[in-house]
Amino acid sequence: MTDTLTPVLTAHWDDPDCFTLAAYRRAGGYQGLAKALGMPPDDVIGQVKASGLRGRGGAGFPTGMKWGFIPQGDGKPHYLVLNADESEPGTCKDMPLMMASPQVLIEGMVIACYAIRAERAFIYVRGEALHVIRRLHHAVAEAREAGYLGTDILGSGYDLEIVVHAGAGAYICGEETGLLESLEGYRGQPRLKPPFPAIEGLYACPTVVNNVETIASVPSIMVNGADWFAGMGTEKSKGFGIFSLSGHVTTPGQYEAPLGITLRELLELAGGVRAGHQLKFWTPGGSSTPILTGEHLDMPLDYESVGAAGSMLGTRGLEIFDETTCAIRAALRWTEFYEHESCGKCTPCREGTYWMRQLLEDLEQGKGSEDDVTKLLDINDNMVGRVFCALGDTAGSPIASTIKYFRDEYLEHLKQGGCPFDPSAATLFAGDGAQS
Amino acid sequence: MPFSSDALARLEADAAQIIAKYPRSRSALLPLLHLVQAEEGHVSTDGVAFCAAQLGLTDAEVSAVVTFYTMYKRRPVGDYHVGVCTNTLCAVMGGDAIFAGLTEHLGVGNDETTPDRKITLEHIECNAACDYAPVMMVNWEFFDNMTPGTARQLVDDLRAGEPVRPSRGPSHLCTWREAARILAGFPDDQATDGPAAGPPGLVGLKIAKERGWTAPPGPSQGQGTSSQGPASRSAEEASR
Ligand SMILES: Cc1cc2nc3c(=O)[nH]c(=O)nc-3n(C[C@H](O)[C@H](O)[C@H](O)COP(=O)(O)O)c2cc1C
Ligand code: SF4
């Protein structure tokens, strides 16, 4: 039996120098790279495939397979673009990872680039996290000085440069093709797929876009082997991942565990829902994943089980809300976010989020009628599948799922002509006088 | 105001360095916009024209990009950009109350600057620090677990020029323009300041250590080869 928590990526975060190359080497860093450089690139891809690693950015696409899609011998430059845009509400794993342990990312990137035969890689990091960006620049500089980047890496004859590229505030630039547009110097509006980035990505060249945590998992797979990784997790959701608990829990924070851990187990470790309160609803993996409730406490947090429950594992950004939280207020805030972040390319998404926000605003204030609840679901149905990217597909998730579980609460707002909740009761500082 | 010839020479040298990093010059546009924002505190029409000239684009092409991204400001910003997260989780945990309190305290609304030009207030979206909610950002540095009271103290200190330290960040808080220069790709020397992780980053690790939980040992463990993760930790500790 694997232990309940399995710190790998987070194993050394309590070392105050964790972010330095010296500390990373002390902890065995860059042995995965040495191993990889001694293997044919296709074997590196094979090992990642065999590990069962799936993308940690939300969609869960098999990583080795993605790398394998890059055409070889095509004469075009290949690129790796690291998706460090982390902006999905509730998601808060990549920023601490890059702050604490940027070298594991650099090592993973060099391995990935060697495998897909790329000579240039980019870290597309959201601009709103200055200290993370400092740490990334520092890590790249240290790695270059030590010969892990640049020309003839570790005497292998392999060359690679990594550019740290700061974004400028746009959630949609986390969508991989929006990201590529942005990195090419345009508005970050997603592209129609296919062609997928593996065939026509950055500058229409074969490109792998991977999440921070995905790439950070690669060095340990190189060192310890595919079987070691696949030995953790569940049948189809292998390995470990960072589960980020936030909101109304006693001890919010990062818990690294095999996929398949349950919220009940995580809450036990986190000291439960905050004292005197009960779980009302939660997101398994960020705001785009439909909310779940207490009936899902024992559902394994793996791709298949969460999917079967009508949601998605997503980013494992577990936002926990107790009974003081108004479900409509939560849905409204998320909808405001999607309205603001819709890139405007597709009419259903651009207009749909705009209308849904207005309907919700009214409903929160107890205005409108029950027909508006139906209308919200209608609008959502007209967005799903009729848009370029997953933002539009999932923007209505908070609405549809809160209506599914809390329809009565919508009606109660209408009945009372206002919101029955006291927002101050939900705050971190409720009742401790800090309000003044 | 058009750039002075000194400033122009300096900016052109910086721009050349940025452009050289990319296989195609247009990729340098976002960093170049950060660069002109570092110079002027916002992206002015002169800033747009400068970027367009460096990249052989039209002003309209550059403006189309500027307007897409919320971090580029088209009006002057104070020395300190104060962001309050009001996305769902932070809002519920107190972000709404904090934002309302600051609006009243500073006498400015969203996206407005105090008359002393010190502080620009903005409600921001999720900043990937939900385990520290409610979160504020000053010039894009983290201020964690805020309350209306600590938020008010923070802006008072900023306005009074008192030293202010981010929760997870450098000892010296950059000004808005200094921050933009880092975003352009010219980092300062504060990377090694501040903690590796804040307390919530360590909660799972702490429990695992207390209970002796680790990832399974890798096959290389015990043969003197250390590895990533917990196996290496024990190997390393044994050798200390
Ligand atoms: C609106 C939107 C935002 C996204 N934001 C991110 C993000 O911030 N980070 C990320 O890794 N993936 C994000 N994704 C998913 C990416 O499109 C892509 O699937 C992912 O980067 C692939 O990496 P992976 O296979 O390693 O998970 C987003 C997707 C959408 C539709
Ligand atoms: S679905 Fe929305 S965010 Fe995605 S491309 Fe269309 S308009 Fe843009």
Side-chain angles (χ1 to χ4, degrees):
Chain A
M1 243 323 260
T2 313
D3 289 341
T4 310
L5 293 178
T6 50
V8 176
L9 301 174
T10 58
H12 304 290
W13 289 10
D14 56 350
D15 177 349
D17 289 335
C18 185
F19 50 85
T20 63
L21 178 58
Y24 186 59
R25 275 208 195 111
R26 266 200 321 271
Y30 283 103
Q31 297 193 8
L33 175 61
K35 243 183 175 171
L37 291 175
M39 293 161 62
D42 284 340
D43 290 2
V44 176
I45 297 180
Q47 188 160 330
V48 173
K49 266 188 195 159
S51 74
L53 174 65
R54 293 169 64 174
R56 300 298 193 232
F61 193 83
T63 305
M65 196 189 286
K66 190 186 271 191
W67 294 6
F69 287 153
I70 298 291
Q72 294 302 337
D74 56 344
K76 286 187 183 173
H78 300 171
Y79 299 105
L80 173 73
V81 181
L82 192 88
N83 192 340
D85 194 56
E86 191 170 62
S87 313
E88 162 93 357
T91 307
C92 52
K93 62 191 179 67
D94 297 340
M95 291 296 142
L97 196 159
M98 291 186 284
M99 183 97 101
S101 194
Q103 289 293 347
V104 71
L105 203 61
I106 309 287
E107 183 181 6
M109 288 179 76
V110 185
I111 296 169
C113 286
Y114 172 75
I116 64 166
R117 280 140 278 191
E119 281 168 33
R120 194 82 73 110
F122 299 87
I123 302 177
Y124 187 104
V125 56
R126 69 181 297 184
E128 301 100 321
L130 204 57
H131 207 50
V132 170
I133 294 170
R134 280 194 194 91
R135 292 261 162 98
L136 288 173
H137 278 293
H138 183 255
V140 168
E142 277 201 308
R144 186 179 290 120
E145 192 144 315
Y148 298 121
L149 288 173
T151 50
D152 192 20
I153 295 169
L154 300 182
S156 65
Y158 177 63
D159 304 341
L160 179 71
E161 288 298 339
I162 293 180
V163 176
V164 178
H165 184 93
Y171 165 61
I172 195 57
C173 292
E175 195 283 333
E176 56 185 8
T177 60
L179 185 154
L180 294 172
E181 284 289 300
S182 180
L183 183 52
E184 290 186 13
Y186 294 89
R187 297 163 75 91
Q189 292 187 305
R191 302 170 178 170
L192 188 63
K193 295 189 268 191
F196 288 93
I199 308 302
E200 286 185 30
L202 188 65
Y203 315 126
C205 293
T207 302
V208 165
V209 182
N210 268 140
N211 170 257
V212 169
E213 194 188 353
T214 310
I215 290 294
S217 302
V218 169
S220 63
I221 293 173
M222 296 317 297
V223 172
N224 297 314
D227 292 343
W228 168 82
F229 187 83
M232 288 175 265
T234 59
E235 170 79 39
K236 287 181 180 159
S237 302
K238 301 202 184 292
F240 48 82
I242 300 176
F243 292 80
S244 314
L245 265 70
S246 63
H248 292 138
V249 288
T250 307
T251 317
Q254 312 294 334
Y255 298 81
E256 191 175 0
L259 301 188
I261 192 169
T262 64
L263 180 62
R264 187 184 300 282
E265 289 173 287
L266 284 166
L267 277 178
E268 265 166 32
L269 298 173
V273 169
R274 66 175 177 155
H277 296 276
Q278 306 89 47
L279 176 66
K280 180 171 176 182
F281 61 92
W282 55 292
T283 65
S287 60
S288 305
T289 61
I291 63 156
L292 298 170
T293 65
E295 60 185 273
H296 306 102
L297 273 168
D298 294 310
M299 171 193 73
L301 289 164
D302 60 27
Y303 298 103
E304 294 69 33
S305 308
V306 187
S311 188
M312 290 177 288
L313 182 61
T315 57
R316 285 151 284 116
L318 298 125
E319 304 170 275
I320 312 294
F321 298 94
D322 69 21
E323 83 292 344
T324 60
T325 314
C326 171
I328 306 182
R329 177 178 178 215
L332 171 60
R333 280 315 167 85
W334 280 319
T335 307
E336 285 173 350
F337 168 78
Y338 289 114
E339 179 195 11
H340 183 248
E341 301 298 330
S342 165
C343 82
K345 183 166 174 159
C346 324
T347 310
C349 170
R350 185 185 64 238
E351 298 297 319
T353 51
Y354 171 76
W355 288 109
M356 289 197 302
R357 190 259 306 154
Q358 297 185 66
L359 287 166
L360 271 177
E361 256 173 14
D362 279 354
L363 286 168
E364 197 211 6
Q365 295 168 29
K367 293 188 255 178
S369 72
E370 200 174 341
D371 288 349
D372 293 334
V373 178
T374 316
K375 199 178 289 166
L376 281 170
L377 295 173
D378 262 4
I379 297 174
N380 185 42
D381 285 347
N382 279 296
M383 287 167 62
V384 177
R386 293 180 166 85
V387 288
F388 272 76
C389 88
L391 187 150
D393 284 327
T394 57
S397 298
I399 297 176
S401 58
T402 50
I403 293 177
K404 175 171 168 192
Y405 295 110
F406 300 106
R407 197 184 184 102
D408 286 351
E409 199 167 305
Y410 278 81
L411 303 183
E412 188 59 28
H413 279 67
L414 290 172
K415 207 162 112 196
Q416 292 204 13
C419 180
F421 291 87
D422 169 14
S424 70
T427 64
L428 182 71
F429 36 84
D432 71 357
Q435 182 85 33
S436 56
Chain B
M1 204 173 47
F3 299 115
S4 70
S5 56
D6 275 4
L8 203 57
R10 197 165 28 78
L11 287 171
E12 279 171 353
D14 286 345
Q17 268 193 58
I18 294 172
I19 293 167
K21 290 197 240 177
Y22 296 92
R24 296 199 189 168
S25 63
R26 181 155 179 164
S27 283
L29 181 52
L30 264 62
L32 286 182
L33 288 166
H34 287 305
L35 181 72
V36 296
Q37 181 145 291
E39 187 68 20
E40 294 194 285
H42 67 294
V43 180
S44 68
T45 49
D46 294 315
V48 167
F50 173 83
C51 294
Q54 302 309 303
L55 300 176
L57 301 173
T58 64
D59 289 7
E61 283 171 311
V62 174
S63 292
V65 172
V66 177
T67 52
F68 189 81
Y69 297 94
T70 53
M71 287 176 75
Y72 300 128
K73 304 300 176 193
R74 279 167 289 152
R75 282 179 292 149
V77 171
D79 289 341
Y80 299 100
H81 175 269
V82 173
V84 182
C85 177
T86 54
N87 201 294
T88 306
L89 189 111
C90 272
V92 166
M93 298 294 286
D96 278 356
I98 291 170
F99 187 79
L102 286 183
T103 307
E104 194 181 275
H105 185 63
L106 295 170
V108 295
N110 184 43
D111 216 4
E112 290 176 6
T113 302
T114 52
D116 60 5
R117 307 228 50 85
K118 291 272 195 233
I119 289 179
T120 301
L121 183 66
E122 188 179 343
H123 67 71
I124 57 171
E125 298 300 353
C126 182
N127 223 85
C130 315
D131 43 344
Y132 297 89
V135 172
M136 286 176 63
M137 306 296 294
V138 177
N139 293 345
W140 306 120
E141 303 283 9
F142 291 108
F143 288 79
D144 302 329
N145 294 129
M146 299 301 286
T147 68
T150 55
R152 197 158 45 228
Q153 186 66 48
L154 172 62
V155 294
D156 285 350
D157 287 347
L158 290 171
R159 292 180 91 179
E162 298 288 334
V164 153
R165 210 183 160 142
S167 312
R168 286 168 292 144
S171 37
H172 164 75
L173 185 68
C174 292
T175 65
W176 170 251
R177 287 164 54 172
E178 287 166 347
R181 188 164 171 84
I182 295 172
L183 297 172
F186 299 102
D188 60 13
D189 60 0
Q190 301 197 91
T192 54
D193 271 13
L202 303 176
V203 290
L205 179 58
K206 186 158 169 279
I207 293 173
K209 283 189 163 177
E210 282 164 9
R211 304 195 186 178
W213 288 341
T214 61
S220 59
Q221 202 204 12
Q223 293 157 28
T225 332
S226 79
S227 63
Q228 296 285 315
S232 65
R233 169 68 76 182
S234 38
E236 194 214 328
E237 272 166 4
S239 70
R240 267 193 190 148

